[in-house]
Amino acid sequence: MSELLFEIGTEEIPAGYIQPALDALAAAAAGKLHGLELAFESIRTFGTPRRLALAVTGLQSRQADRRQQHIGPSKKAGFDANGKLTKAAEGFARSRGFEPEQLQVVTTPKGDYLMVEEDVQGQETAALLPPVLEALIRELVFPKSMHWADCSLTFARPIQWLLALYDGEVLPLTIEGLTSGATTRGHRFMAPEDVAVNGIDSYLATLAERFVIVDPAERRAKVVAEVRRAVSEAAGAEGAQPVLHEGLLDTVTNLVELPCAICGRFDRKFLHLPQEALVTSMREHQKYFPVVGADGRLLPLFVAVNNTRIADRALAASGHERVLRARLEDGLFFFNEDRKRPLADRCPELSGIVFQNKLGTMAAKSGRIAALAGLLAERIAPELRAAAVRAATLAKADLLTTMVGEFPSLQGIMGRVYGLHDGEKPAVAQAIEEHYLPIRAGGEVPQSLLGALVGIADRMDTLVGCFAIGEKPTGNKDAFGLRRQAIGLISILRGLHISLSLETVAAAALAGYAGVVEQNPGVAGEVVHFIRLRFENEQIAAGLPQALVEAATSVGFDDPVDCLMRIEALNQIRSQESFPVLAGSFKRIRNIIKDNRETAIDEALLTESAEKELFAALTAVRARALPLLEQRSYEPALLAMLEIKNPVDRFFDTVMVMAEDAAIRRNRLNLLTALGELILRVGDISRMHVEKE
């Protein structure tokens, strides 16, 4: 077994591009090797700002010899009426280098076809790899790519060198005049010269000697260790701990090849800034790690991670301190200026911000959100109506503050801070921040019902407005993040267990656009269907069978919380021994009743003992199940329904549903329809029936 080492050396690649590129590189390499029928033991990737590398171990050194079948025309087209080969058959044979007499007939799922078998000799892996490596370079996709010099190739940054070794030997590869070799390069500043390597182990060791930690996981661990060391060595920082934000760790890891951390200080006056503003200023603009004390409060310290060893720590720290001081001075100025005007005074100015060209301004959106939030509060928690309207009215006002203009990620957070400063009720201020939650899939949801109501109103307003003007997501196009909005809405309803009618809320949101968009009643249904698809995808991704999820959603999704409860009940009940049999019987019932909607049953027309027994069982089960269904106790209701399995089986064994007498036939169909309607109150369990092979 052999090994492959391939490195693409570049100018500094943006930190956010590196890990996705390494993942894509590994996936593409595995796919191409599988396509060539070359086995391998493992694929690893390495990356720094200046390189993307691929290491394959246990690589098969040669393709196996194989016999390959080539399918030609059908037997019918290959032979004429006299049983002789047609010209089509002869042409196919010769196109493959065979004599017509060598054709065979083979049976396929589509029928009988002519076929020839070819003995294919496997090729040496070394001969197959150069085109693969070139394809890996040319097919790698980045958020933004660039041309350089007179190259037609595009890449994240200009390629400076190529390392391509197969069992220590250079693989011949030339792209845009750049030829592969056996050398890599060390740290740009500390060891920039070319250095030869002869394999994967040599590559890792040689780069480590030249101040490059090429393994991202190892480099990330080094970043963490360096940051912690810098804080522990800082004078007067007893009990201090760095705030190791995962996203910042990922970014810093891919900004450096040799992490060297240093702890700096800033003036205590900046601690008057909201903690979120301080952290954001350090993290987003400077890529510095904040430091907190034992009580969790920010200390006037920060940690910067350099890409070189530091000879004069005091000098390096002072440089970082000057840069951060300027940022924080701006932030403190913005903060003090913003507080001179209440949020409420800024609301009219939202008319100067366009929400969407066809949907009006952010001021109009705020008015719609306030009206919808008030309506939601009236139906869910009437005592919160005034607060919901107030929070929704102020929810977007902080977009006009200089702090949010400088740090967009602080939207909502600064609204809370400024709202409290203005004397708004704490619940209203909290709702201003929370209405943006969750920010991403799986993120934190609002903790307060008030924040949830405003968040629901905001998301539904966006969804309905965009659908009304035809701005629906298609493929990868989702300019307004409607998928994210729908997932966020589902998360809020689930997280706070809010039961409501999506159709009603969507219709109310559409009414808020009166005079702006056409009042097409179908828009509300489209929006609910869109949310339903996101909901189903989430449940299936969580590990539930698709059939189970669709069994619940197909009979009703207007209230997602209710739908979740029915899904849980179906999931619990499906392990019962009698459930698969009942599901199979229900599928049969669904096929029989088809378009029948009547459920009136005339006992006088029940002549067979089995149908009388089924009617009695249905009556008893309905009496027990209906109160449970009204209470949304779906699992006990389903357990009660399972008792009807045996009467249903006997009914199908002895009763002819489609009797010649029209009245009896209709009565039996009504009996089955009534049974079906009861079960459909929970889900269409016929979808969960699996046919035995």
Side-chain angles (χ1 to χ4, degrees):
M1 306 302 278
S2 304
E3 69 171 34
L4 166 69
L5 176 62
F6 180 50
E7 180 187 61
I8 308 167
T10 68
E11 297 295 337
E12 275 75 1
I13 299 173
Y17 291 13
I18 294 174
Q19 193 55 53
L22 293 178
D23 293 341
L25 190 64
K32 291 182 183 301
L33 292 175
H34 284 310
L36 291 171
E37 298 184 11
L38 291 173
F40 57 87
E41 290 177 0
S42 70
I43 288 183
R44 294 177 65 192
T45 55
F46 307 106
T48 75
R50 299 182 68 212
R51 70 200 77 230
L52 302 172
L54 176 77
V56 183
T57 59
L59 181 58
Q60 187 175 325
S61 59
R62 182 181 182 277
Q63 286 178 323
D65 295 338
R66 62 193 185 281
R67 175 162 288 187
Q68 185 172 355
Q69 291 186 344
H70 301 287
I71 303 296
S74 66
K75 180 181 178 182
K76 184 177 180 180
F79 292 94
D80 61 19
N82 298 319
K84 294 183 178 180
L85 290 172
T86 62
K87 291 188 179 297
E90 293 176 350
F92 163 69
R94 293 194 175 100
S95 71
R96 292 294 179 179
F98 289 84
E99 292 300 320
E101 293 76 19
Q102 295 177 275
L103 290 172
Q104 304 175 43
V105 176
V106 62
T107 299
T108 74
K110 295 182 179 180
D112 291 342
Y113 281 79
L114 297 181
M115 177 270 293
V116 290
E117 285 188 332
E118 177 184 8
D119 290 325
V120 180
Q121 187 174 7
Q123 298 183 56
E124 296 294 328
T125 299
L128 295 169
L129 286 176
V132 169
L133 301 184
E134 180 173 354
L136 291 177
I137 293 176
R138 293 190 181 277
E139 294 172 11
L140 203 55
V141 177
F142 299 92
K144 289 184 180 179
S145 295
M146 60 185 295
H147 289 282
W148 62 94
D150 58 352
C151 292
S152 61
L153 174 69
T154 62
F155 209 72
R157 289 296 184 269
I159 298 176
Q160 297 296 315
W161 75 91
L162 294 172
L163 165 66
L165 293 177
Y166 176 71
D167 278 351
E169 298 294 325
V170 175
L171 288 170
L173 177 63
T174 300
I175 299 179
E176 302 287 351
L178 190 63
T179 302
S180 60
T183 60
T184 184
R185 297 181 188 177
H187 194 284
R188 180 184 285 279
F189 306 112
M190 302 172 68
E193 64 280 353
D194 290 355
V195 57
V197 297
N198 57 30
I200 297 172
D201 292 340
S202 168
Y203 173 77
L204 297 174
T206 300
L207 283 175
E209 291 170 1
R210 284 156 177 78
F211 314 108
V212 176
I213 303 175
V214 74
D215 184 342
E218 182 183 345
R219 196 165 63 253
R220 194 179 197 272
K222 180 67 172 176
V223 169
V224 171
E226 277 288 301
V227 170
R228 286 178 172 156
R229 176 199 56 76
V231 171
S232 67
E233 292 178 358
E238 185 176 350
Q241 292 292 331
V243 180
L244 297 172
H245 183 272
E246 292 295 317
L248 182 56
L249 275 174
D250 292 340
T251 298
V252 171
T253 296
N254 286 322
L255 282 173
V256 300
E257 293 191 318
L258 181 70
C260 300
I262 187 166
C263 191
R265 297 177 177 274
F266 57 84
D267 196 308
R268 282 188 171 273
K269 71 177 182 179
F270 296 121
L271 293 176
H272 290 105
L273 280 166
Q275 181 161 313
E276 297 91 345
L278 261 176
V279 169
T280 300
S281 183
M282 286 187 266
R283 187 170 63 215
E284 291 190 5
H285 283 185
Q286 303 306 133
K287 308 298 184 287
Y288 295 163
F289 291 91
V291 181
V292 296
D295 59 359
R297 298 178 64 84
L298 280 177
L299 297 174
L301 300 170
F302 67 92
V303 180
V305 178
N306 289 12
N307 191 29
T308 58
R309 288 181 176 169
I310 302 167
D312 189 334
R313 293 185 176 275
L315 180 63
S318 67
H320 289 295
E321 289 166 355
R322 282 196 306 273
V323 174
L324 182 59
R325 185 182 308 119
R327 286 285 185 191
L328 296 184
E329 288 284 6
D330 287 345
L332 189 58
F333 174 78
F334 295 151
F335 181 60
N336 290 331
E337 287 296 304
D338 285 342
R339 292 191 298 171
K340 292 178 180 179
R341 293 182 61 199
L343 279 179
D345 287 0
R346 300 178 187 271
C347 290
E349 297 172 20
L350 287 170
S351 59
I353 301 178
V354 175
F355 164 54
Q356 203 279 340
N357 186 42
K358 296 180 181 179
L359 299 178
T361 66
M362 196 61 75
K365 180 175 177 63
S366 293
R368 292 192 302 270
I369 296 173
L372 189 55
L375 180 64
L376 288 169
E378 284 179 359
R379 298 184 178 185
I380 297 172
E383 71 280 5
L384 295 179
R385 186 187 183 286
V389 172
R390 182 64 175 174
T393 300
L394 299 176
K396 306 299 181 183
D398 68 350
L399 296 176
L400 293 161
T401 64
T402 49
M403 278 296 281
V404 173
E406 183 74 6
F407 305 108
S409 64
L410 292 178
Q411 62 184 5
I413 294 172
M414 297 313 301
R416 169 181 56 79
V417 172
Y418 293 146
L420 290 172
H421 177 265
D422 297 343
E424 298 290 344
K425 293 179 180 178
V428 170
Q430 181 182 352
I432 293 173
E433 176 180 1
E434 288 185 337
H435 92 281
Y436 283 109
L437 301 178
I439 296 173
R440 60 186 61 85
E444 180 184 358
V445 298
Q447 296 301 301
S448 71
L449 178 57
L450 193 59
L453 294 176
V454 180
I456 292 168
D458 184 19
R459 287 166 174 81
M460 189 60 84
D461 177 81
T462 299
L463 285 163
V464 169
C466 289
F467 268 73
I469 61 173
E471 284 287 345
K472 307 168 189 176
T474 55
N476 292 328
K477 180 186 175 186
D478 188 5
F480 287 87
L482 300 186
R483 294 186 181 94
R484 177 172 50 82
Q485 299 278 9
I487 292 170
L489 188 111
I490 293 166
S491 298
I492 294 172
L493 296 176
R494 180 176 59 234
L496 280 82
H497 207 71
I498 299 173
S499 186
L500 52 74
S501 165
L502 289 178
E503 187 95 27
T504 301
V505 178
L510 181 63
Y513 280 100
V516 180
V517 301
E518 180 184 353
Q519 294 293 294
N520 180 359
V523 168
E526 288 184 35
V527 169
V528 173
H529 179 69
F530 178 75
I531 297 171
R532 170 186 162 180
L533 293 178
R534 309 282 82 72
F535 175 89
E536 289 176 345
N537 290 341
E538 271 197 343
Q539 296 301 306
I540 294 167
L544 291 175
Q546 181 175 344
L548 186 155
V549 175
E550 292 180 352
T553 59
S554 64
V555 301
F557 175 69
D558 192 39
D559 183 345
V561 168
D562 179 75
C563 191
L564 278 168
M565 295 168 70
R566 289 185 284 111
I567 287 174
E568 177 61 26
L570 289 168
N571 192 36
Q572 293 297 322
I573 207 74
R574 68 190 176 108
S575 61
Q576 294 283 331
E577 183 178 351
S578 55
F579 179 79
V581 179
L582 181 62
S585 298
F586 186 64
K587 184 173 183 179
R588 185 175 178 184
I589 291 171
R590 296 279 282 170
N591 290 334
I592 292 172
I593 60 177
K594 292 184 179 177
D595 297 327
N596 189 65
R597 296 290 179 269
E598 297 297 322
T599 58
I601 303 165
D602 185 349
E603 284 190 70
L605 294 175
L606 299 174
T607 58
E608 301 283 346
S609 61
E611 63 181 331
K612 292 178 181 179
E613 180 188 359
L614 179 58
F615 176 72
L618 174 60
T619 302
V621 168
R622 279 171 60 89
R624 292 173 53 195
L626 287 178
L628 294 170
L629 292 172
E630 292 300 322
Q631 299 165 16
R632 297 189 179 187
S633 298
Y634 292 118
E635 187 177 349
L638 280 172
L639 286 171
M641 294 177 201
L642 284 180
E643 296 177 11
I644 212 166
K645 179 190 77 69
N646 290 334
V648 169
D649 290 344
R650 283 190 286 273
F651 176 86
F652 280 128
D653 287 342
T654 63
V655 176
M656 173 66 71
V657 178
M658 307 308 284
E660 291 185 9
D661 186 302
I664 293 177
R665 180 171 66 247
R666 184 168 54 254
N667 202 51
R668 289 172 180 174
L669 286 173
N670 290 357
L671 175 60
L672 293 178
T673 302
L675 171 59
E677 282 195 356
L678 180 65
I679 295 175
L680 287 173
R681 292 282 296 271
V682 183
D684 182 0
I685 63 173
S686 67
R687 294 171 179 261
M688 300 170 65
H689 175 64
V690 179
E691 297 286 352
K692 293 183 179 179
E693 296 183 359

